[in-house]
Amino acid sequence: MSKFTITRSTGIVGVAQNVAVYLNGELVDKLAKDESKTLTFEGDSVELQVGQSFMKSHKIQVKDGQKVLVTASGMRAMLGIIGFILGLPYLLLEIEA
């Protein structure tokens, strides 16, 4: 079984709500502020996406052993629904080196 670690580091953006974690489109867990979790999956890689309220991040492929950081853009969060319409999610995913 493969696994990766995901860490939420969104600062004060969205602090009142957990961030939902989706693997291959299915909700598998939620992250509180500054929380880290190790998640498992079958196969060589899995499609990861996170969301909060009506907004979801872009999708990335994650491989066994990788570390993923969930960050937030305060400027994009202030755009709210306009950012959603423009396709500018405020939750961002990056694979750490």
Side-chain angles (χ1 to χ4, degrees):
M1 185 160 293
S2 301
K3 63 183 177 180
F4 71 95
T5 301
I6 184 167
T7 301
R8 177 180 171 180
S9 181
T10 55
I12 63 168
V13 176
V15 71
Q17 292 182 329
N18 289 339
V19 169
V21 179
Y22 300 90
L23 297 182
N24 293 330
E26 291 186 41
L27 176 64
V28 296
D29 215 329
K30 293 186 177 185
L31 294 171
K33 182 181 181 293
D34 298 324
E35 185 175 21
S36 290
K37 290 190 177 180
T38 298
L39 303 177
T40 59
F41 61 94
E42 297 290 332
D44 296 328
S45 68
V46 67
E47 182 182 82
L48 171 66
Q49 186 175 35
V50 295
Q52 192 175 51
S53 297
F54 60 88
M55 184 68 69
K56 287 189 178 177
S57 71
H58 60 288
K59 297 175 184 176
I60 63 171
Q61 290 293 318
V62 179
K63 297 179 182 176
D64 183 40
Q66 289 186 313
K67 293 181 180 180
V68 179
L69 186 62
V70 180
T71 60
S73 167
M75 182 62 86
R76 288 183 178 184
M78 288 191 306
L79 291 174
I81 192 70
I82 295 169
F84 176 72
I85 292 168
L86 295 175
L88 299 171
Y90 64 86
L91 292 172
L92 308 170
L93 294 172
E94 66 180 70
I95 295 176
E96 297 181 305

